[in-house]
Structure formats: structure tokens, C-alpha cells
Amino acid sequence: MNERRWLALIFGLYFVFAAGYSLLMPIWEAPDEAAHFHLAWYLARKGRFPTETHNYEANQPRAYYYLASFMIRGLDKIDPHYSDYFLPKEYKQNFRVPERRFDWSDANYRFLLGVYALRWLNILVGAAALWLNRKAFRRLVPDQPELQIAALGLAALTPQYLHIMSSVSNDAAGALGGALLFYLATALTGAAVGFSSWFSVALAVIVPLITKLTVLPVGLALIITAGWQRFAEFRQKRIVVASILVIAAILLAAYFLFQDATRAAASEVFWRLFTLRTGALTPKYLWFILNQIVWSYWGKVGWLAVGLPGWSVIVLTTFAILGIAIKTRDLILDKFLRRSPSPWTVTWLIALFTLAAVIRNGLTTSASQGRFLFPAIGALSLLMIGGWHSALPERLQRHLPLIVVIVLACSTLYLWGFEILPTYYQPFLD
């Protein structure tokens, strides 16, 4: 199969599976979906954001909610009932329990088109993130199309990615922001010092403040790589000083342009970096949070309620760890931590920083999840596949895309048939 057909197959499966998740998961059963929709709904109906008293997600970066509010306003012009905000009785004790968390029934069910419209909007945003990751792959490994396709298939068809991209939240915006910075980073290492380089650094600061703070590790990796290369090239002290002043000016401008977002981000980062929950360093908790992060990266849908079988998560995680380890070994042998960083350097840094941030977040809150890794899903997928691609003989390398697509497609079909439908199927919708 040629490259164009592979792309058509992967994106086709992505849209079919994502649409399936959007329809199979009842309204509000995705993580924090009611709160995220309420932010956009409140902005559309009242023209301002709610306070944290009214919505616990009110301190989130706001770009996604402005976009979502435009869609809700459009539906309101047709029929306001399409995008009403309605919350049935909630069973909060069903967190991590394979039971429906919201009491939808034939007596109270409402078809809230606004919720589905935002779910479908996020599917498009998730596809745009994949397209940018694809472009980054082409820059990194231009002469290895089967590696590009396999990495894209892994990113696009991971069941949890499909689930999160087909729900209402700013996670899709975070995935797009991370993919944009990853794409810029692959070009940054080979670019001459100039406006485009400083523009990339500026975006590394701004994008997390307007999309989702989970993009911060990706931005940090881009900034460090940029500084690493720029200072390696510079010979004159005055140019180094000028570079520092430019970066300081970018940070200062970002602060004044996005004061509320910057303050919220600083508070959030400080809390997550410098606080520990009680018992965070006990073996029992460490095992619990690592298990949760891993499972909710591959496939643990809803409110961490139902997911892939444990044995498949172990297999996928083993595959991922070995792939990254093999690729890291290859990069070390290739001396990728050299005076001037290569595109693979920033790929590795993005994956490392994002993994470290999510794991560290788990020491602060038990809500840390694998979906927070999705801003770096392109870098992670490429490292996972890259290791196996270099280790396997050529005749097996050609089959990597097919293996990835089959395994992940079967994973989603299993999740639908044996977990989502038995838990969330609602007979009154017949």
C-alpha cells in the first residue's frame, strides 16, 4: 500500500472510531465534560466566564472556550434548546467504578446538540494535531515512510486519544498546541538565528497559556533546545546578552498580554511542583498512580471507570518502554547530546519533560492521568516506534504500520463491545 493510501486509512479510521466514541459515551461521562461545556455555555449565554465558585475549571486557559462559545451562539440562533445546559443526578461515588455516573433516563433524557457539536469540533482539532505531528515526522525521518506511518497510526488510533478527542474539554486544544510546538521544534534546530526562531520561542511561552497548561513541558523543551543551539553558535558576548534580553522581553510581553492566565499558570505550576499529597511516596500509592497514568494513556474511558484488559495494557506498555529504550540507546551511540542539538534531541526532551511533569503531578494529586501526555503524543509515538523500527529486520519494518493499525483497531473494538456498551448502553434510546 502506498503512503497516500496509508494516510487515508489511518485518518479514515480515526474519524470513524472517534465519531463512534462520541456517540457511544453518554453525555457528561467523559472526564470533567460537564464543567468544560458549562464554561463555553456560560460564556456564550452571559458574555463572561464564571468564577471558580460556580465552576471548578474556571481557571483554565480560555482560547478553546471562546471557540466553543461561538458554536453555541450559532446553535442558539436556530434553537436555544439545542445547547441547553442540563445536569441530571450525579453519582459521585461512581468515580473509578464501572457504573454510569449520571442518571439519564427516559424521563429526563435530552438530546443536547451543543454537547455533540463540541465533541465533533474536538475530533477535528485532534485531527489537526495529528496532521502537524505527521509533518514533524516527515522532517525527522524523511527517508523512512514506514516509520512515519507507523508512528502516526500509533498516535491516531490509541483508544484513549480517540476517546478524549471525542469529548468536550480543552485536551484537544492542548494536543494541538503540543503538536504545533513539536512541529516548530523540528525546524528550529536547523534554522538560522532570526525572526522565525524568536517567533517559535514566543509561541512556546504563549501557546500553553491559551490552550492547556499540559503543553508547558513541550514549550520548555523547545525553549531549552533553542537556547542550546543559539548559544552554541554565538561567539560574541554581546550577542548572548542580546539573546537573553530578547527572551526576557518575550516573557514580559506574555505576562502583560495574558496577566490572568500567567498568574493562574504560575499558581498551578507552583502547587504541582512544590507540594506533596499525604502518603505520596509510599510504595502502595506510587504503584497506584503509575498504574493509573499508564492505563489512562492507552485506554481507561469515562471517569477512569472502564478500560482495556490489564494484560493488553502490560503488553502495550512493555512495547512502548522497550521501543523508547532502544531508540534512546541508538541516540546515545549517535551522540545526540552534542554541542548543537539535532531534531531528535528536542523529540527526546519533549517526551522526557512531559513524562516527568505528569509523574510529578501524580505526587501532588491522584487525578494525574495519561491523557495529560497527549500534547507530546507525537514525540512519544515516534520514539516508541523508532526503537522497534531500528531493531527489527527490514522485512518486518515494512509491516510495522499494519501491525500497529490492527492491534489498536482491535483494542478499540474490544473496548466498545466488552466495556463501553455493557456499562453505558441505555435501552431507552432504542
Side-chain angles (χ1 to χ4, degrees):
M1 190 182 297
N2 63 34
E3 189 175 352
R4 183 173 296 180
R5 289 178 180 175
W6 270 118
L7 290 175
L9 174 64
I10 289 172
F11 276 100
L13 287 174
Y14 166 79
F15 282 113
V16 169
F17 285 151
Y21 279 102
S22 76
L23 297 173
L24 290 174
M25 294 297 296
I27 290 173
W28 310 143
E29 289 292 351
D32 303 307
E33 190 171 45
H36 288 293
F37 180 82
H38 179 261
L39 283 177
W41 174 86
Y42 197 95
L43 178 61
R45 294 287 176 90
K46 302 183 182 297
R48 65 182 188 277
F49 276 85
T51 64
E52 289 189 57
T53 304
H54 295 93
N55 191 314
Y56 60 89
E57 296 282 6
N59 64 344
Q60 290 281 351
R62 298 181 175 183
Y64 168 74
Y65 304 103
Y66 279 110
L67 176 61
S69 70
F70 293 147
M71 293 196 67
I72 293 175
R73 288 191 184 103
L75 289 173
D76 283 348
K77 292 180 180 179
I78 302 172
D79 187 339
H81 293 301
Y82 283 155
S83 53
D84 279 345
Y85 177 74
F86 175 74
L87 200 68
K89 181 180 179 181
E90 180 180 3
Y91 301 104
K92 293 186 177 181
Q93 70 273 16
N94 285 350
F95 184 57
R96 296 193 181 95
V97 176
E99 297 286 343
R100 282 178 285 176
R101 183 155 172 158
F102 293 90
D103 187 27
W104 290 107
S105 67
D106 54 353
N108 69 7
Y109 180 74
R110 304 181 185 187
F111 180 75
L112 302 180
L113 181 59
V115 178
Y116 288 106
L118 294 191
R119 285 181 172 186
W120 299 331
L121 169 66
N122 275 4
I123 292 174
L124 295 176
V125 175
L130 293 172
W131 177 75
L132 283 172
N133 280 317
R134 157 71 176 156
K135 290 177 69 67
F137 298 161
R138 293 190 69 178
R139 281 179 166 173
L140 279 162
V141 285
D143 56 342
Q144 296 176 313
E146 70 280 350
L147 173 54
Q148 300 172 28
I149 295 298
L152 178 66
L154 181 59
L157 302 181
T158 294
Q160 190 76 5
Y161 184 80
L162 290 163
H163 166 57
I164 295 300
M165 293 305 109
S166 61
S167 60
V168 181
S169 77
N170 62 347
D171 282 294
L176 180 60
L180 172 63
L181 297 184
F182 179 35
Y183 170 70
L184 292 174
T186 59
L188 186 63
T189 54
V193 179
F195 174 77
S196 61
S197 296
W198 297 124
F199 182 67
S200 297
V201 171
L203 287 179
V205 175
I206 294 170
V207 168
L209 297 177
I210 64 174
T211 57
K212 191 175 179 71
L213 294 182
T214 51
V215 185
L216 278 171
V218 184
L220 179 61
L222 191 158
I223 292 171
I224 288 176
T225 305
W228 183 354
Q229 177 164 355
R230 297 294 82 88
F231 294 156
E233 292 176 356
F234 294 154
R235 303 297 184 187
Q236 300 178 33
K237 292 182 179 179
R238 59 186 177 84
I239 300 181
V240 174
V241 172
S243 301
I244 294 173
L245 291 176
V246 169
I247 293 174
I250 290 171
L251 294 173
L252 194 62
Y255 173 77
F256 283 110
L257 288 171
F258 307 100
Q259 284 192 37
D260 291 340
T262 303
R263 290 170 182 166
S267 175
E268 192 81 3
V269 169
F270 184 87
W271 174 61
R272 295 181 188 276
L273 278 180
F274 300 107
T275 59
L276 287 174
R277 61 176 281 118
T278 304
L281 299 180
T282 62
K284 181 179 179 180
Y285 179 77
L286 290 173
W287 173 251
F288 160 77
I289 197 64
L290 286 173
N291 181 67
Q292 177 171 287
I293 290 170
V294 168
W295 213 323
S296 59
Y297 179 86
W298 295 114
K300 191 92 169 181
V301 303
W303 293 83
L304 299 177
V306 298
L308 295 172
W311 65 265
S312 69
V313 174
I314 293 173
V315 170
L316 289 169
T317 305
T318 302
F319 162 87
I321 292 173
L322 287 177
I324 292 175
I326 294 169
K327 190 61 188 178
T328 301
R329 180 207 63 184
D330 293 344
L331 293 174
I332 291 172
L333 293 175
D334 192 39
K335 298 179 181 179
F336 77 113
L337 293 174
R338 60 189 71 170
R339 180 185 178 92
S340 181
S342 70
W344 275 108
T345 304
V346 73
T347 303
W348 185 79
L349 287 177
I350 286 171
L352 179 66
F353 287 177
T354 307
L355 279 166
V358 173
I359 293 171
R360 176 60 187 85
N361 183 51
L363 300 180
T364 299
T365 169
S366 62
S368 193
Q369 299 168 44
R371 64 187 170 94
F372 299 154
L373 294 167
F374 288 160
I377 195 170
L380 287 166
S381 297
L382 192 63
L383 288 170
M384 293 175 195
I385 295 294
W388 287 104
H389 184 269
S390 65
L392 293 173
E394 186 176 349
R395 60 185 178 84
L396 291 179
Q397 290 176 355
R398 294 196 298 268
H399 298 301
L400 265 179
L402 181 61
I403 294 170
V404 168
V405 168
I406 290 176
V407 168
L408 293 180
C410 289
S411 298
T412 278
L413 294 176
Y414 173 91
L415 202 51
W416 286 3
F418 294 95
E419 299 291 344
I420 293 177
L421 286 174
T423 302
Y424 297 111
Y425 176 63
Q426 299 173 32
F428 67 86
L429 294 180
D430 283 350

